[in-house]
């Protein structure tokens, strides 16, 4: 019997939301109401899985009875995703219209007015119809894959940037450490130089002090002898011993003459010399001229060849031999590249320097020397330097209007062989005992 004013509680379903482990395919309409029920069919029109009850109602209800349904044996085996009705954006040109159409020809989304006005002849499709199968489409998968790949690429680039910043910071610390280490080395060298000159000054002081002490002792000895002689003469005078006084006087006169000579020999003006310190102006000039401890050289790290194996395999991309040059070349001892298509070679036995065009594959110019050239190095795109061991010299040459000319040669008094140029320095290796490397810097 019902009690007036009270309502019976509504019956609730005992089946609650299950976990993904209970069943993978479930009814989407029931899931919206908070109940998860196993799927027994699928609606292609709604793209939703349905339970047995919703499947039956789907056939009977007027809005959905013409939908295409698949039974449990034919339905998709992957979970369906509930379709959310999106709010379309408004068109920029027609504010009251929504961007519901896609122009395949122009690859843009448009509104109905844009379609009528600007895309009447284009292949225009309705977006809600196209989007039904977008989730499983190859185009979406490709787009997502490309975006993921690009994302990974950017993440990798961010990591490389961070690693580069770390490397730059470490490089900075290494540079500062090298600068301060060089300063310590300079201090050590200066300390040694200071010790040498101080020791030299100490030795001079010791020598002069020793000489003056010896002089003082000698003078003191003579003074004592003079005093003693005077005392003896006074005593003999007082005792009136005239004969003895005469003899002592004669002896004193002889000693006086000897003492005068010794006094001149030990004169202070002859023995004592002042010492002064003269600065090494070469050191001062170097410091004033350079004004810094050294130079900072930047290198492009991407140009460094990195490899993990102990053996680096190189591929021959072009083989230039004497037959390709159209003439026989007996021996090439040195070479360097002047320009991208010009190469300078030293033909030792024929005493020639030749310029080879790598595009035309022929010798375009040569110059005969009195002695055999050994090696060459490019200074600029049109200037280079050549070593001539038997002359003990290096030749400065130019390539002007495709002709080699000798500008000047410099004697270095060494049998020079290998040569290289870096900035404003020329480095030459010489055969000597012991072997040596010369670093030359020219100032015009």
């Amino acid at each position: 019997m019902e009690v007036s004013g009270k309502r019976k509680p509504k019956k609730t379903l005992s089946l609650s939301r299950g976990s993904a482990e209970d069943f993978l395919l479930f009814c989407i309409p029931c899931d919206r109401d908070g109940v998860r029920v196993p799927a027994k069919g699928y609606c292609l029109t709604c793209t939703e899985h349905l339970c047995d009850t919703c499947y039956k109602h789907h056939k009977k209800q007027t809005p959905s009875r013409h939908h295409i349904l698949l039974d449990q044996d034919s339905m998709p085996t992957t979970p369906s995703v509930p379709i959310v009705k999106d709010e379309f954006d408004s068109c920029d040109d027609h504010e009251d219209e929504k961007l519901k159409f896609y122009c395949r020809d122009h690859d843009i989304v448009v509104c109905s007015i844009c379609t009528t006005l600007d895309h009447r002849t284009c292949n225009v499709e309705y977006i809600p119809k196209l989007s039904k199968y977008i989730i499983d489409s190859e185009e979406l998968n490709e787009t997502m894959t490309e975006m993921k790949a690009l994302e990974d690429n950017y993440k990798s680039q961010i990591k490389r940037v961070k690693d580069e910043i770390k490397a730059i910071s470490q490089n900075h610390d290494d540079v500062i450490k090298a600068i301060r280490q060089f300063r310590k080395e300079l201090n050590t060298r200066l300390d040694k130089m200071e010790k040498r000159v101080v020791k030299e000054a100490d030795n001079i002081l010791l020598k002069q002090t020793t000489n003056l002490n010896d002089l003082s002792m000698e003078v003191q000895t003579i003074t004592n002898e003079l005093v003693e002689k005077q005392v003896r003469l006074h005593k003999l005078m007082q005792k009136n011993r005239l004969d003895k006084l005469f003899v002592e006087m004669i002896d004193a006169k002889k000693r006086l003459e000897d003492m005068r000579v010794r006094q001149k020999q030990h004169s202070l003006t002859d023995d004592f010399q002042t010492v002064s310190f003269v600065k090494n102006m070469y050191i001062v000039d170097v410091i004033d001229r350079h004004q810094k401890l050294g130079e900072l050289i930047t290198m492009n790290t991407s140009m460094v060849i990195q490899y993990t194996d102990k053996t680096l395999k190189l591929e021959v991309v072009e083989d230039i031999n004497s037959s390709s040059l159209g003439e026989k070349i007996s021996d090439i001892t040195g070479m360097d590249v002047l320009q991208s298509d010009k190469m300078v070679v030293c033909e030792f036995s024929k005493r020639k320097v030749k310029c080879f065009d790598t595009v035309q594959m022929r010798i375009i110019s040569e110059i005969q020397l009195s002695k055999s050239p050994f090696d060459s190095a490019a200074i600029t795109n049109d200037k280079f330097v050549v070593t001539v061991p038997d002359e003990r010299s290096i030749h400065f040459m130019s390539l002007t209007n495709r002709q080699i000319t000798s500008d000047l040669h410099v004697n270095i008094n060494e049998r020079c062989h290998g040569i290289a140029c870096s900035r404003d320095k020329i480095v030459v290796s010489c055969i000597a005992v012991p072997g040596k490397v010369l670093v030359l810097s020219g100032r015009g």
Side-chain angles (χ1 to χ4, degrees):
M1 186 174 178
E2 294 183 2
V3 180
S4 178
K6 293 185 178 180
R7 294 182 180 178
K8 290 183 179 181
K10 294 182 179 179
K11 292 183 179 180
T12 58
L13 296 172
S14 60
L15 183 62
S16 61
R17 281 183 179 270
S19 63
E21 289 76 12
D22 294 332
F23 38 85
L24 186 62
L25 304 176
F26 51 87
C27 178
I28 297 300
C30 291
D31 186 68
R32 293 194 190 101
D33 294 333
V35 180
R36 184 154 294 187
V37 183
K40 300 296 182 180
Y42 186 80
C43 176
L44 280 174
T45 308
C46 297
T47 64
E48 292 180 347
H49 281 90
L50 305 171
C51 65
D52 189 46
T53 303
C54 291
Y55 188 85
K56 292 177 181 178
H57 290 167
H58 222 69
K59 291 181 178 180
K60 297 178 180 179
Q61 294 177 355
T62 301
S64 60
R65 63 185 175 184
H66 297 297
H67 287 190
I68 302 173
L69 298 174
L70 302 175
D71 59 18
Q72 190 172 6
D73 295 332
S74 304
M75 70 180 185
T77 57
T78 57
S80 58
V81 180
I83 297 177
V84 179
K85 298 297 182 180
D86 292 321
E87 285 291 333
F88 288 96
D89 294 333
S90 297
C91 179
D92 292 337
D93 297 328
H94 314 97
E95 296 181 359
D96 296 335
E97 294 295 324
K98 302 294 183 181
L99 299 172
K100 293 184 179 182
F101 298 91
Y102 170 67
C103 176
R104 195 172 292 276
D105 294 345
H106 294 91
D107 194 25
I108 57 172
V109 291
V110 294
C111 70
S112 58
I113 298 178
C114 290
T115 301
T116 304
L117 296 177
D118 303 321
H119 301 274
R120 282 181 294 179
T121 60
C122 298
N123 184 10
V124 178
E125 299 179 66
Y126 187 45
I127 291 178
K129 182 179 178 180
L130 286 175
S131 64
K132 285 184 179 181
Y133 309 102
I134 188 66
I135 292 180
D136 297 325
S137 68
E138 183 179 350
E139 184 178 6
L140 178 61
N141 290 334
E142 289 179 355
T143 303
M144 296 292 288
T145 301
E146 291 177 4
M147 292 179 67
K148 178 61 178 173
L150 188 60
E151 177 192 356
D152 293 341
N153 182 273
Y154 273 108
K155 286 182 178 179
S156 176
Q157 189 170 349
I158 290 172
K159 183 180 182 302
R160 289 199 301 271
V161 169
K162 290 181 179 179
D163 292 343
E164 195 70 22
I165 291 174
K166 184 178 179 180
I168 290 172
S169 178
Q170 182 61 49
N171 175 249
H172 171 269
D173 294 342
D174 292 342
V175 168
I176 299 301
K177 183 178 178 181
I179 292 172
R180 289 174 178 166
Q181 179 62 34
F182 179 55
R183 174 62 185 274
K184 288 181 180 179
E185 292 175 5
L186 289 179
N187 290 342
T188 301
R189 287 180 169 86
L190 290 173
D191 289 342
K192 290 181 179 179
M193 294 170 67
E194 180 185 356
K195 286 181 180 179
R196 283 198 294 269
V197 72
V198 169
K199 185 177 181 180
E200 184 180 352
D202 292 342
N203 290 336
I204 293 174
L205 173 64
L206 177 62
K207 181 180 179 181
Q208 290 185 336
T209 304
T210 301
N211 291 340
L212 288 173
N213 286 333
D214 293 343
L215 175 62
S216 177
M217 292 177 64
E218 180 71 17
V219 171
Q220 187 63 47
T221 301
I222 296 173
T223 303
N224 293 340
E225 185 178 353
L226 286 170
V227 172
E228 183 181 350
K229 284 287 186 183
Q230 292 180 68
V231 170
R232 292 182 63 184
L233 288 173
H234 279 295
K235 287 182 178 180
L236 292 173
M237 289 173 60
Q238 291 174 356
K239 293 181 178 181
N240 204 23
R241 297 178 60 180
L242 302 180
D243 295 337
K244 187 67 174 175
L245 178 62
F246 182 81
V247 173
E248 285 291 335
M249 181 190 68
I250 297 300
D251 182 67
K253 289 172 65 178
K254 292 180 179 179
R255 294 294 296 162
L256 280 172
E257 187 64 29
D258 180 58
M259 290 177 184
R260 288 191 185 97
V261 173
R262 290 168 64 184
Q263 183 185 29
K264 291 181 180 179
Q265 291 176 349
H266 296 90
S267 174
L268 289 176
T269 56
D270 293 336
D271 290 340
F272 180 69
Q273 296 176 342
T274 60
V275 178
S276 59
F277 173 71
V278 179
K279 297 178 183 179
N280 187 337
M281 295 307 297
Y282 178 77
I283 297 177
V284 177
D285 178 63
V286 168
I287 295 175
D288 290 343
R289 190 151 35 91
H290 292 278
Q291 293 292 320
K292 55 183 179 180
L293 288 176
E295 295 182 356
L296 298 178
I297 302 175
T298 57
M299 294 181 293
N300 187 356
T301 55
S302 63
M303 296 299 291
V304 178
I305 300 176
Q306 298 180 350
Y307 57 94
T308 56
D309 297 335
K310 293 183 179 179
T311 302
L312 178 62
K313 297 180 180 179
L314 301 177
E315 178 184 358
V316 177
V317 295
E318 188 172 3
D319 185 3
I320 302 174
N321 50 44
S322 59
S323 61
S324 66
L325 301 180
E327 59 178 292
K328 183 178 179 181
I329 293 182
S330 55
D331 54 349
I332 296 176
T333 54
M335 57 162 288
D336 202 356
V337 177
L338 275 187
Q339 303 166 13
S340 60
D341 59 344
K342 302 294 186 299
M343 184 168 59
V344 175
V345 298
C346 296
E347 192 174 4
F348 189 81
S349 61
K350 292 187 178 180
R351 302 178 180 178
K352 290 183 178 182
V353 176
K354 299 181 177 182
C355 181
F356 173 63
D357 191 314
T358 58
V359 176
Q360 300 179 11
M361 296 295 289
R362 68 183 184 88
I363 300 294
I364 61 172
S365 180
E366 64 179 46
I367 186 170
Q368 183 75 50
L369 302 181
S370 59
K371 300 291 184 180
S372 298
F374 187 86
D375 195 14
S376 64
I379 301 175
T380 63
N381 286 338
D382 57 358
K383 294 185 182 298
F384 59 98
V385 62
V386 174
T387 57
V388 184
D390 292 339
E391 279 187 355
R392 298 175 181 263
S393 66
I394 57 177
H395 287 237
F396 289 84
M397 300 185 177
S398 300
L399 180 65
T400 307
N401 296 326
R402 300 170 67 86
Q403 292 293 324
I404 298 177
T405 57
S406 180
D407 300 332
L408 75 154
H409 71 275
V410 178
N411 295 325
I412 59 175
N413 299 322
E414 297 287 351
R415 286 186 57 83
C416 47
H417 284 74
I419 191 167
C421 295
S422 176
R423 295 178 177 268
D424 59 343
K425 303 291 191 302
I426 297 176
V427 183
V428 185
S429 64
C430 303
I431 292 182
V433 180
K436 64 174 64 176
V437 174
L438 302 179
V439 180
L440 311 175
S441 177
R443 292 186 176 86

